[in-house]
Amino acid sequence: MDGKIAIILFSTLLPAFVVGYVLRTNGKTINFAVVGATLVYVVSVGMIFFSFYLASMMNMRADDLVLILPFIVAALFYFLLRGSKKGNE
């Protein structure tokens, strides 16, 4: 496995697990928490690959965003999914 691919895939796992755990402990169903965590994982990986693709137009290296971008996505989705009435037990 290439080093960049491994960093991308493994750096996005922790924020996805945290969002799923926090949603579950805040009274959401297990299915809602799993879907939320999967959504965070997929969007994080997609945004990282998208930032690699657009690295030439950015003013910084895309490699620097790999570790911070999943946490930003996880925080965004947590605040979006936290207040919704869907998925409550």
Side-chain angles (χ1 to χ4, degrees):
M1 180 180 291
D2 187 44
K4 285 185 182 180
I5 299 290
I7 290 171
I8 290 170
L9 295 178
F10 292 133
S11 70
T12 56
L13 280 177
L14 181 64
F17 283 138
V18 169
V19 167
Y21 176 75
V22 170
L23 286 173
R24 180 65 180 141
T25 56
N26 282 338
K28 302 294 183 183
T29 62
I30 188 76
N31 290 337
F32 190 82
V34 167
V35 168
T38 304
L39 185 65
V40 166
Y41 183 75
V42 170
V43 170
S44 295
V45 170
M47 286 184 68
I48 289 172
F49 279 122
F50 187 69
S51 71
F52 282 153
Y53 179 71
L54 294 177
S56 62
M57 296 180 358
M58 295 169 51
N59 204 13
M60 64 185 291
R61 292 181 20 191
D63 296 347
D64 298 336
L65 295 175
V66 169
L67 296 177
I68 191 70
L69 193 60
F71 291 105
I72 294 170
V73 171
L76 175 73
F77 274 99
Y78 169 70
F79 286 113
L80 288 176
L81 296 175
R82 180 184 59 159
S84 70
K85 300 292 181 195
K86 293 181 181 179
N88 287 339
E89 284 189 316

